[in-house]
Amino acid sequence: MRHFVRAIAITVVALIATGCATTQPTYDYTALEASKPRSILVIPPINNSVAVNAPYIYLSTISAPLAEKGYYVFPVAVIEQFLTSNGLQSPADMHNISLEKIREHINPDAVLYVTIQDWGQKYHVVDSTTVVNTELKLVDAKTGHILWTAKAALAQGANNGGGGLAGMLISAVVNQVIGSVSDRTPQVSAIANNIAINHRNLGLLPGPYAAKN
């Protein structure tokens, strides 16, 4: 009987340990809740990928999910033009602007810095994958405190794998030809941003303009 009880106890402990292991962590929102930003300025991304057009495509996919989350987002194209016309020719220069200067000329509540680590369509022998890998950091424009960080990353394959080896090879060729004409990175980037911003435990908290349920 004693061995039976012991076996049950070990099983319960194992189940609890398994449950703890699968529990997703929750982001520490202390700084974000204290700051309560209403407006967000998105600085043009630093691009560490080989895709030269990645920053421009990325900027077209970030405003909507932030606005839908309840924040005012400064128009990204206007901001980029403003920074460029004031002598900042690269995203690296823009990322090095002091928060004091940003507040003086634009005055946002928070600033979003983005780094693109990987981007584009990767072609393999029998498959192709569209990859988007970015890192986001939201900073309080007054204090410089980090309010929220996230990784928006997604790899989406295009091959359905049907028709055997011959079918896969034909599909890969077709995907490469289509991919050279139709870029899927805008769609993949939009999905990645939506997942990161709306993640249940790690996403961005709703802003002051969020729709009330």
Side-chain angles (χ1 to χ4, degrees), residues 47 59 65 76 86 103 122-123 141 191 196:
N47 184 19
L59 285 176
V76 292
N86 279 275
R103 291 197 312 272
K122 316 295 183 182
Y123 297 103
I191 295 171

Side-chain angles (χ1 to χ4, degrees), residues 45-62 114-123 129-136 152-156 179 182-193:
I46 288 178
N47 184 19
N48 291 334
S49 77
V50 296
V52 294
N53 62 341
Y56 307 103
I57 296 176
Y58 179 83
L59 285 176
S60 71
T61 68
I62 187 61
V114 179
T115 301
I116 298 173
Q117 300 294 7
D118 198 5
W119 188 280
Q121 295 179 203
K122 316 295 183 182
Y123 297 103
T129 306
T130 303
V131 175
V132 168
N133 186 347
T134 63
E135 296 175 354
L136 291 70
L154 183 65
Q156 190 175 84
S182 176
D183 186 0
R184 291 190 297 267
T185 53
Q187 292 81 7
V188 176
S189 178
I191 295 171
N193 282 328

Side-chain angles (χ1 to χ4, degrees), residues 121-129 158 168-184:
Q121 295 179 203
K122 316 295 183 182
Y123 297 103
H124 314 292
V125 176
V126 294
D127 198 3
S128 66
T129 306
M168 293 170 68
L169 289 171
I170 293 173
S171 179
V173 173
V174 170
N175 284 331
Q176 186 162 357
V177 172
I178 294 176
S180 64
V181 178
S182 176
D183 186 0
R184 291 190 297 267

Side-chain angles (χ1 to χ4, degrees), residues 16-210:
I16 293 174
T18 302
C20 293
T22 57
T23 301
Q24 292 186 337
T26 300
Y27 195 87
D28 183 357
Y29 293 105
T30 304
L32 182 59
E33 290 174 330
S35 177
K36 293 183 173 63
R38 304 175 69 86
S39 61
I40 295 177
L41 170 70
V42 181
I43 299 291
I46 288 178
N47 184 19
N48 291 334
S49 77
V50 296
V52 294
N53 62 341
Y56 307 103
I57 296 176
Y58 179 83
L59 285 176
S60 71
T61 68
I62 187 61
S63 295
L66 290 175
E68 290 167 0
K69 199 66 179 180
Y71 296 90
Y72 171 76
V73 184
F74 288 85
V76 292
V78 174
I79 293 301
E80 182 183 21
Q81 180 60 39
F82 174 77
L83 296 176
T84 302
S85 63
N86 279 275
L88 302 169
Q89 299 301 316
S90 71
D93 294 332
M94 299 174 187
H95 278 236
N96 287 326
I97 310 172
S98 69
L99 291 175
E100 182 181 0
K101 284 291 185 182
I102 291 176
R103 291 197 312 272
E104 179 183 349
H105 295 284
I106 306 173
N107 198 30
D109 295 321
V111 181
L112 182 66
Y113 298 95
V114 179
T115 301
I116 298 173
Q117 300 294 7
D118 198 5
W119 188 280
Q121 295 179 203
K122 316 295 183 182
Y123 297 103
H124 314 292
V125 176
V126 294
D127 198 3
S128 66
T129 306
T130 303
V131 175
V132 168
N133 186 347
T134 63
E135 296 175 354
L136 291 70
K137 181 174 69 173
L138 188 67
V139 173
D140 188 299
K142 293 181 180 178
T143 65
H145 293 160
I146 296 176
L147 305 180
W148 176 71
T149 60
K151 188 171 185 177
L154 183 65
Q156 190 175 84
N159 196 342
N160 59 17
L165 180 59
M168 293 170 68
L169 289 171
I170 293 173
S171 179
V173 173
V174 170
N175 284 331
Q176 186 162 357
V177 172
I178 294 176
S180 64
V181 178
S182 176
D183 186 0
R184 291 190 297 267
T185 53
Q187 292 81 7
V188 176
S189 178
I191 295 171
N193 282 328
N194 270 289
I195 293 173
I197 291 171
N198 295 294
H199 192 283
R200 182 175 180 181
N201 296 323
L202 304 175
L204 187 61
L205 293 179
Y209 308 112

